């Protein structure tokens, strides 16, 4: 009976906490044109009118880069779905309850719209509309301006929600999810032949064996990232740039043009590389038996160095008793420290170090 009473008390406490914290509010879903949003947020000074929408002080500063702003405008122009903006009509019981709308989530988007329509944003890093690179709003044709101006975004406008509720909602909306990995973005954006090829190779049993990863990283497509990096560095490590993401994305654009026969060649060298590593490196790509995960930098250096050595000397693949002890020693370990991962000279140096050691 005592246990039953305790359970009842616990249930009562849970209900009390929920009722205490429960946010009671109403909402409407509205659809606004970009032109209207801009005028509501930053009205023409000639109108001598107060802004109907504002960004509260608890929101972060405007942090979007020029490229982020440009890609958002590109999304609007080509008709990609845009997430809802969240706003709140502040109640009369608060000092700011004057009928205006407080932006809870969407400040970066609204400020970008305002900046572009005012002619203050020069588009940079366009991915789908390269002809608009370095262009501004005034460079659009009159017809395109009109179409853009009447493009709509949906807003969920809340009422009867106090400041605590608004701040909590802002925090949850901006921290509630996990940022997509670069490979998840690439995989989600398109099913191009090369991306599908990488995806297929990542499921190979030898790949799984030699590139052990925790389940959380597998779900985030980390193994596909390793396979992609192998081909990108193998085919263009001398063209590496400081930004790994841009280097990989540019390589994908090229690789998507390759023929099926070329991809078959890639698969052959990749699988021969893995087989060579399994046959000749004591711990495979791992540093030693205690390590259960392979670092990206170590994998890139060894895998690409091995592949280059085999391509240079095909008979190497069938040789036995190859010395790979150097892969466990300080000289090489220093070369693959993570802090050197974005240095072009060091990328080249560690890949060629592996190649030259095997060909010596």
């Amino acid at each position: 009976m005592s246990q039953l009473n305790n359970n009842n008390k616990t249930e009562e406490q849970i209900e009390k906490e929920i009722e205490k914290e429960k946010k009671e509010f109403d909402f409407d879903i509205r659809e606004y044109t970009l032109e209207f949003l801009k005028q509501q947020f930053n009205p023409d000074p000639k109108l001598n009118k107060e802004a109907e929408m504002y960004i509260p002080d608890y929101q972060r500063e405007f942090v979007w880069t020029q490229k982020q702003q440009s890609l958002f405008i590109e999304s609007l122009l080509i008709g990609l779905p845009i997430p809802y903006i969240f706003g709140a009509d502040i109640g009369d019981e608060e000092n700011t309850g004057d009928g205006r709308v407080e932006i809870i989530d969407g400040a970066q988007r609204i400020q970008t719209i305002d900046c572009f329509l005012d002619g203050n944003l020069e588009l940079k890093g366009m991915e789908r509309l390269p002809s608009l690179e370095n262009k501004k709003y005034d460079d659009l044709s009159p017809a395109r301006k009109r179409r853009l101006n009447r493009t709509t975004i949906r807003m969920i406008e809340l009422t009867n929600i106090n400041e605590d509720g608004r701040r909590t909602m802002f925090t949850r909306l901006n921290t509630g999810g996990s940022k997509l990995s670069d490979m998840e973005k690439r995989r989600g954006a398109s099913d191009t032949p090369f991306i599908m090829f990488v995806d297929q190779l990542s499921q190979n049993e030898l790949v799984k064996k030699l590139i052990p990863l925790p389940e959380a990283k597998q779900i985030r497509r980390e193994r596909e990232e390793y396979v992609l990096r192998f081909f990108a560095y193998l085919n263009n490590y001398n063209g590496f740039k400081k930004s790994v993401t841009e280097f990989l994305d540019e390589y994908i654009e090229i690789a998507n043009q390759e023929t099926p026969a070329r991809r078959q060649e890639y698969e052959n060298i990749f699988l021969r590389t893995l087989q060579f590593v399994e046959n000749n490196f004591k711990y495979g790509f791992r540093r030693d038996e205690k390590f259960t995960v392979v670092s990206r930098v170590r994998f890139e250096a060894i895998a690409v160095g091995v592949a280059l050595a085999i391509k240079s000397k095909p008979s190497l693949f069938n040789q036995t008793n190859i010395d790979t002890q150097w892969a466990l020693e300080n000289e090489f370990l220093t070369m693959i420290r993570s802090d050197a991962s974005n240095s072009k000279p060091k990328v080249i140096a560690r890949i060629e170090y592996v190649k030259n050691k095997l060909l010596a």
Side-chain angles (χ1 to χ4, degrees):
M1 181 65 88
S2 176
Q3 181 64 40
L4 181 60
N5 288 336
N6 286 338
N7 287 341
N8 288 337
K9 288 181 180 178
T10 300
E11 290 174 1
E12 289 175 7
Q13 184 62 29
I14 290 172
E15 288 302 312
K16 285 181 181 179
E17 289 180 0
I18 291 175
E19 290 302 319
K20 179 183 176 183
E21 296 298 328
K22 193 172 181 180
K23 309 300 180 187
E24 297 287 352
F25 58 86
D26 298 316
F27 70 90
D28 289 314
I29 299 178
R30 307 184 187 280
E31 196 156 357
Y32 295 132
T33 66
L34 300 191
E35 186 173 44
F36 179 80
L37 281 173
K38 186 215 175 312
Q39 285 301 320
Q40 292 291 93
F41 176 71
N42 184 19
D44 188 329
K46 297 175 185 176
L47 299 177
N48 194 27
K49 178 183 175 184
E50 185 180 31
E52 298 286 335
M53 296 180 181
Y54 69 96
I55 297 170
D57 57 7
Y58 62 79
Q59 292 248 25
R60 61 183 176 176
E61 298 294 327
F62 188 53
V63 297
W64 271 9
T65 64
Q66 190 171 9
K67 182 172 182 179
Q68 285 175 304
Q69 295 176 69
S70 299
L71 293 181
F72 175 66
I73 297 299
E74 184 179 65
S75 297
L76 291 170
L77 287 166
I78 64 178
L80 289 179
I82 302 300
Y84 282 51
I85 290 172
F86 284 80
D89 181 346
I90 309 307
D92 292 335
E93 70 276 6
E94 296 189 41
N95 292 333
T96 54
D98 56 5
R100 295 188 300 154
V101 173
E102 178 180 296
I103 303 303
I104 298 175
D105 185 67
Q108 307 292 310
R109 281 165 277 163
I110 285 182
Q111 290 176 93
T112 296
I113 292 167
D114 176 55
C115 188
F116 185 66
L117 296 188
D118 256 354
N120 297 322
L121 172 62
E122 183 176 297
L123 301 176
K124 296 285 187 181
M126 303 296 274
E127 295 179 355
R128 300 299 178 91
L129 303 173
S131 60
L132 282 179
E133 188 73 16
N134 303 320
K135 298 293 192 296
K136 293 185 176 183
Y137 176 76
D138 286 340
D139 293 311
L140 300 177
S141 69
R144 180 51 57 191
K145 287 180 184 177
R146 294 188 192 101
R147 294 188 184 104
L148 180 63
N149 290 345
R150 63 175 183 262
T151 296
T152 59
I153 292 182
R154 289 183 175 179
M155 172 186 281
I156 294 180
E157 188 173 307
L158 307 161
T159 55
N160 301 321
I161 181 169
N162 62 23
E163 183 176 357
D164 177 66
R166 298 194 300 274
R167 286 177 180 263
T168 300
M169 191 169 182
F170 169 75
T171 302
R172 299 295 171 87
L173 284 169
N174 285 278
T175 62
S178 297
K179 184 180 178 182
L180 289 176
S181 70
D182 289 330
M183 200 61 207
E184 284 176 308
K185 292 177 190 174
R186 297 182 187 109
R187 186 66 176 78
S190 61
D191 290 335
T192 62
F194 186 72
I195 289 294
M196 298 304 292
F197 168 70
V198 167
D199 189 50
Q200 177 186 342
L201 276 185
S202 70
Q203 303 306 312
N204 182 281
E205 290 305 317
L206 190 55
V207 175
K208 294 179 181 179
K209 178 181 178 182
L210 291 177
I211 310 177
L213 292 170
E215 184 176 358
K217 288 198 172 187
Q218 293 179 44
I219 292 172
R220 303 302 300 273
R221 297 190 176 277
E222 183 72 3
R223 193 169 279 124
E224 288 92 322
E225 176 86 13
Y226 280 55
V227 177
L228 169 61
R229 285 170 178 244
F230 170 81
F231 291 115
Y233 284 109
L234 175 64
N235 291 300
N236 191 30
Y237 71 96
N238 280 303
F240 174 75
K241 298 176 181 178
K242 187 173 182 180
S243 169
V244 177
T245 299
E246 289 182 12
F247 173 69
L248 296 178
D249 287 344
E250 288 175 7
Y251 174 71
I252 290 173
E253 291 294 322
I254 297 171
N256 279 329
Q257 310 305 315
E258 300 283 12
T259 64
R262 185 64 168 162
R263 287 196 292 276
Q264 185 60 57
E265 291 178 19
Y266 287 170
E267 180 175 353
N268 291 340
I269 188 61
F270 179 63
L271 295 180
R272 283 167 65 84
T273 295
L274 295 185
Q275 192 62 62
F276 183 90
V277 169
E278 183 177 44
N279 293 344
N280 294 283
F281 287 75
K282 186 175 181 180
Y283 305 112
F285 290 111
R286 294 180 299 150
R287 179 172 172 178
D288 61 43
E289 60 186 359
K290 295 181 294 184
F291 283 75
T292 57
V293 177
V294 177
S295 76
R296 287 176 173 180
V297 179
R298 185 178 180 86
F299 169 79
E300 293 160 6
I302 293 177
V304 178
V306 166
L308 291 171
I310 293 174
K311 290 179 74 173
S312 177
K313 183 181 177 182
S315 62
L316 180 69
F317 181 77
N318 296 313
Q319 286 184 217
T320 57
N321 300 320
I322 295 175
D323 177 24
T324 58
Q325 182 62 28
W326 47 265
L328 309 176
E329 296 173 350
N330 284 335
E331 183 178 8
F332 181 61
L333 296 179
T334 300
M335 299 177 77
I336 59 171
R337 291 184 314 190
S338 59
D339 61 355
S341 61
N342 287 350
S343 166
K344 178 176 179 177
K346 292 181 180 178
V347 167
I348 294 173
R350 60 177 175 255
I351 288 174
E352 295 189 347
Y353 177 87
V354 173
K355 172 188 172 184
N356 294 334
K357 279 290 187 180
L358 294 172
L359 293 177

